[in-house]
Amino acid sequence: MEPPDARAGLLWLTFLLSGYSGAQAELHVSVPPRVEVMRGEQVALDCTPREHPEHYVLEWFLVDGTGARHRLASVEPQGSEFLGTVHSLGRIPPYQVDSRGRLVIAKVQVGDGRDYVCVVKAGAAGTSEATSSVRVFATPEDTEVSPNKGTLSVMDQFAQEIATCSSNNGNPVPRITWYRNGQRLEVPMEVNQKGYITIRTVREASGLYSLTSTLYLRLHKDDRDANFHCAAHYDLPSGQHGRLDSHTFRLTLHYPTEHVEFWVGSPSTTEGWVREGDAVQLLCQGDGSPSPEYSFFRQQGTQEEQLNVNLKGNLTLEGVHRSQSGIYGCRVEDYDADEEVQLVKKLKLHVAYLDPLELSVPEELFVFLNSSSTVVNCSARGLPTPTVRWTKDSVTLADGPMLSLQSVTFDSAGTYTCEASTPTVPLLSRTQNFQLIVQGAPELKPNEIMPKSGNSWTEGDEVMLTCSARGFPEPKLTWSQRGDTPAEPPFEGRGWKSSSLMVKVTSALSREGVSCEASNIHGKKGHVFHFGSVAPQTAQAGVAVMAVAVSVGLLLLVVAAFYCMRRKGRPGCCRRAEKGAPPAREPELSHSGSERPEHTGLLMGGPSGGGRGGSGGFGDEC
C-alpha cells in the first residue's frame, strides 16, 4: 500500500495534468532533430519555446538503450540569462548548460550518440517536449592488409585465401572493398569456387567498430603480375564520405611452363655469329613459376653432351673457339607442364674467326725507280669469308687480295696496309703492313731566288740558297761555294732532304754561279744558281760615307778651336790664330775670394773670355 504523501503527490500531479491538458497543445518546442559531430569535438543542443512564455522551466533528459529517461539538467530563465542545475550522471567531462540554456557536451565520445529530450514546462501555458538525436562519427585508423605469404597454385580448382584487410576503430562501421590492378572486384559473400569474401565486425570497449574482410579467389596465370589492394570506406558528417587505401601487394604463384625461349646473348649478331675469343652467353627462359631447372647440352651427332645444369637459365662459354661451333640445346625440367608443351629448344652457334694475314713480300720491299709489274698478295683466311682491300695513307688503292705496283716513282714509297674484315661480324678485322722503298738516282729540286728589289742583284746582297733532293740510298748534298749553313737544314718530308747556303752576291760569283749537287750510289744530279747582272753599289751610298767623314772633321775643328781659345797668350801656342787684329783690352772684373780665374774665363763670352789662363779640360800643353 502506497504512503499517504505519495498518494497526495500523485493526486496533485493528476489534477495539474487534467487541468492543463488543453494548454499543452498550445506550447511548442524547437530543437535540432539530428546533430552530427566528429568524435572529440564539442556539441551544444539548443531548445527554444516558440511561443516565448513569460516564465517556464526547461529540462534535459537522456534516453538510454531501453527507452528510460535520465535527467541531465534543469534550466530556468532569469532575465537575459539562464540559471540551471546539472546532473552529470558520472560523465567526464560533465554535461554543462551555457548562458543561452543550451546543453553542452564536451569531447564527444561514441557513447554520447543518443537521443536527448528537451521538456519545457510553462505552467498555465502548458508543457511540451522535443527530441534531438546526436550521431557521433569517427575516422578509422589506416587500412592494413596482410597478404598470403605462401605459394599459391593456379592448378587448384577452388578459391584460395588471398589476403585479410582490417579497418579499426571507426564509427559507424566502415565498409571494405577489394581491387585488382585498380579495378574493383565484385565478390559475393556466399562461398563458391570462383571467389568470395568473409566479414567480421567487432565493437571495441571504446564503442568504436573494427572490421575485418578476408578475400578468397581462384587464381590464374595472369594473376602473377597483378597488383592487389583493399580500401576502407567510412561516413562523415553532412553526408560526406572518406576512403583509406592499403598498400598494394603481389602474390607468389605456382604455374607450369607453357613456353620456352633459347637464344645467344650479347655479344652476337642477328645471324647468330659470335667472335672467336669472346665470352658468349647462352640464355634459356621458361615461363613457369617457381623457376624450373635448366639443363644445357651440345648435340654431337645423335648423342647429347651434357654441359651444365642450373636454376638461372644461362650458360657461359669463356674464350669461345671455332671448334665450339655447333648445335646447342636447353631442356626445362618442369614435371607439371602439359604434355603438349615443348620443353626442349635448340640453336646453332656460329663462331667467326680471322687468322693473321700473310703477305707475299717482306716487311721492307725494295724496288727500283720506274719499275713495273710488282705484285703483292695478301692471304686472309677466316669464317665468314673476309673482304680484303689495300690502302696507303688512308686512301683505298685496290679491293681484293692482289696489289699491283705500276710505274714506281719516289712518291710510291711509303707504308702499304692490307685490311681484312668481316662485314657480318662487327669488330672482327685484321691488318698487315709492308714498307715500299724505291731505289734510284737522286731527284733534285732547287728553290727559286729573286732579287730583293727590282730586277737585278746588287753587289753585297745576301741570299739564302736551298736545294732539296730525294732518292735511295739517301743522297748527299754538296755546294760549290763556301758560306754560312744553318745548323739544322730544313726537312720537307715524303723522302725529301734539304740543304741551305747563305752567300753574298758579287760580280765574280755572278759570272761563276753557285751549284749544288745531290749524289748516291745510283747517280748524281746538280743545279747551278745564276744571278745575272750585278749592279755596283749606288752613288748615294758614297755620298752618305762622305757626309759622315765631313761631319767628323768639323767636330774635330771645333774641338781644336776650343783648345786654342783656352791657351791664348802662351808662347808658342796657337800663333796663327793670334795673327789677326790685336787683342782687345779685357775689362776689369772684381772677383770674390772664392771665385777662381778659370771659372770666370769659362763664363766670359767672346775671344777675350777664352784667352784667360788657368787649368782647362785639355791640360797646359800646346
Side-chain angles (χ1 to χ4, degrees):
M1 185 174 181
E2 296 180 355
D5 292 340
R7 291 198 300 271
L10 182 60
L11 291 173
W12 176 249
L13 179 61
T14 304
F15 172 76
L16 288 176
L17 293 176
S18 62
Y20 294 93
S21 58
Q24 290 180 0
E26 297 178 0
L27 185 64
H28 300 86
V29 178
S30 176
V31 296
R34 182 182 175 94
V35 178
E36 296 180 343
V37 62
M38 291 298 296
R39 177 171 176 258
E41 295 180 353
Q42 177 175 290
V43 64
L45 304 179
D46 196 3
C47 181
T48 306
R50 296 181 184 178
E51 289 75 13
H52 303 288
E54 293 183 2
H55 181 75
Y56 63 91
V57 175
L58 187 153
E59 295 180 325
W60 283 101
F61 293 89
L62 170 67
V63 181
D64 63 16
T66 64
R69 295 184 178 185
H70 303 273
R71 188 189 304 273
L72 298 180
S74 298
V75 183
E76 186 175 355
Q78 297 290 334
S80 60
E81 297 184 354
F82 288 81
L83 298 178
T85 302
V86 178
H87 308 280
S88 66
L89 298 181
R91 186 185 188 279
I92 299 175
Y95 299 101
Q96 297 178 356
V97 176
D98 62 11
S99 61
R100 295 169 56 185
R102 298 181 302 177
L103 178 66
V104 177
I105 308 174
K107 296 183 179 179
V108 174
Q109 301 299 316
V110 177
D112 294 320
R114 302 288 183 87
D115 289 342
Y116 295 83
V117 179
C118 173
V119 178
V120 176
K121 297 178 180 180
T127 300
S128 183
E129 66 179 45
T131 301
S132 181
S133 296
V134 175
R135 294 294 179 261
V136 181
F137 295 85
T139 301
E141 299 172 1
D142 290 341
T143 306
E144 297 181 355
V145 63
S146 301
N148 191 332
K149 299 296 185 180
T151 300
L152 306 177
S153 176
V154 301
M155 304 177 69
D156 199 323
Q157 301 298 318
F158 296 93
Q160 303 172 77
E161 181 180 336
I162 304 302
T164 298
C165 186
S166 299
S167 178
N168 299 323
N169 297 318
N171 192 62
V173 181
R175 301 172 301 281
I176 291 179
T177 54
W178 289 92
Y179 298 85
R180 175 170 54 193
N181 294 330
Q183 299 296 320
R184 180 171 176 174
L185 291 171
E186 301 295 340
V187 185
M189 298 185 64
E190 296 79 15
V191 177
N192 62 84
Q193 291 184 353
K194 292 184 178 180
Y196 58 94
I197 59 174
T198 60
I199 294 178
R200 179 171 175 263
T201 303
V202 175
R203 184 180 176 87
E204 308 290 349
S206 61
L208 298 174
Y209 291 93
S210 297
L211 181 66
T212 301
S213 175
T214 302
L215 174 66
Y216 295 85
L217 288 177
R218 180 182 176 184
L219 298 171
H220 304 277
K221 188 175 181 179
D222 294 339
D223 293 321
R224 66 187 184 277
D225 297 322
N227 290 312
F228 293 87
H229 81 282
C230 62
H233 304 264
Y234 55 92
D235 297 329
L236 295 170
S238 303
Q240 301 296 315
H241 302 280
R243 170 174 168 169
L244 291 172
D245 289 88
S246 72
H247 66 271
T248 60
F249 63 92
R250 288 188 176 185
L251 301 174
T252 302
L253 300 185
H254 170 218
Y255 46 87
T257 302
E258 295 179 350
H259 301 91
V260 177
E261 294 182 359
F262 188 34
W263 70 99
V264 180
S266 179
S268 68
T269 66
T270 55
E271 295 82 8
W273 288 96
V274 297
R275 292 185 307 174
E276 187 176 44
D278 285 348
V280 178
Q281 280 191 329
L282 302 182
L283 302 177
C284 188
Q285 186 65 56
D287 61 352
S289 177
S291 179
E293 189 176 71
Y294 298 92
S295 175
F296 293 91
F297 61 90
R298 182 180 179 186
Q299 192 76 41
Q300 301 282 13
T302 59
Q303 302 296 320
E304 294 182 358
E305 178 188 355
Q306 293 298 321
L307 301 176
N308 186 270
V309 176
N310 60 54
L311 296 176
K312 296 182 179 180
N314 66 67
L315 172 65
T316 301
L317 304 177
E318 299 286 353
V320 64
H321 189 263
R322 66 190 68 177
S323 62
Q324 293 177 278
S325 296
I327 298 176
Y328 289 78
C330 167
R331 178 179 290 103
V332 176
E333 306 291 349
D334 190 344
Y335 301 103
D336 293 328
D338 193 276
E339 294 181 357
E340 297 180 356
V341 176
Q342 185 179 358
L343 297 178
V344 178
K345 287 296 180 79
K346 298 180 181 180
L347 60 81
K348 190 170 184 179
L349 184 66
H350 304 277
V351 180
Y353 63 90
L354 182 59
D355 291 334
L357 306 182
E358 296 180 359
L359 301 181
S360 60
V361 296
E363 293 183 359
E364 289 187 344
L365 175 61
F366 294 86
V367 297
F368 284 98
L369 186 66
N370 299 321
S371 64
S372 60
S373 300
T374 300
V375 177
V376 181
N377 181 59
C378 179
S379 176
R381 293 186 298 273
L383 189 69
T385 303
T387 60
V388 180
R389 69 171 181 170
W390 285 95
T391 62
K392 179 177 182 289
D393 299 330
S394 300
V395 177
T396 300
L397 303 178
D399 290 322
M402 305 297 292
L403 174 66
S404 179
L405 301 175
Q406 302 290 338
S407 302
V408 175
T409 66
F410 284 128
D411 288 330
S412 304
T415 301
Y416 289 76
T417 301
C418 172
E419 299 179 359
S421 61
T422 305
T424 57
V425 184
L427 303 180
L428 183 60
S429 63
R430 289 183 182 271
T431 61
Q432 187 63 273
N433 304 325
F434 77 90
Q435 191 78 20
L436 179 64
I437 301 173
V438 180
Q439 302 181 94
E443 287 183 358
L444 190 64
K445 182 174 67 174
N447 71 322
E448 295 184 5
I449 57 173
M450 297 295 294
K452 293 183 178 179
S453 62
N455 297 323
S456 62
W457 295 92
T458 302
E459 189 87 17
D461 283 348
E462 289 187 340
V463 61
M464 179 73 76
L465 305 179
T466 301
C467 273
S468 301
R470 65 178 176 178
F472 191 87
E474 183 181 277
K476 179 181 180 182
L477 281 167
T478 57
W479 296 91
S480 61
Q481 298 289 334
R482 293 184 178 181
D484 294 331
T485 304
E488 295 183 1
F491 183 77
E492 297 186 2
R494 297 186 62 85
W496 291 96
K497 176 185 178 183
S498 298
S499 177
S500 299
L501 181 71
M502 177 71 76
V503 296
K504 286 187 177 182
V505 178
T506 63
S507 299
L509 192 64
S510 176
R511 290 192 300 271
E512 298 175 2
V514 178
S515 63
C516 68
E517 184 182 81
S519 61
N520 63 10
I521 59 175
H522 298 293
K524 60 184 177 178
K525 193 168 186 179
H527 175 77
V528 179
F529 293 92
H530 295 284
F531 301 92
S533 59
V534 178
Q537 291 184 343
T538 61
Q540 293 180 353
V543 171
V545 174
M546 184 63 70
V548 172
V550 171
S551 299
V552 173
L554 289 175
L555 180 61
L556 292 176
L557 289 176
V558 171
V559 173
F562 180 74
Y563 177 78
C564 291
M565 290 173 64
R566 294 293 305 273
R567 297 297 180 266
K568 184 178 180 182
R570 292 179 179 270
C573 290
C574 303
R575 298 291 187 182
R576 296 180 181 178
E578 296 176 357
K579 285 183 179 181
R585 181 181 178 182
E586 293 181 3
E588 294 183 0
L589 300 175
S590 62
H591 303 282
S592 64
S594 61
E595 292 178 347
R596 295 176 60 183
E598 58 270 27
H599 293 168
T600 304
L602 289 173
L603 294 173
M604 294 292 292
S608 61
R612 284 279 206 196
S615 62
F618 296 94
D620 296 334
E621 295 181 0
C622 292

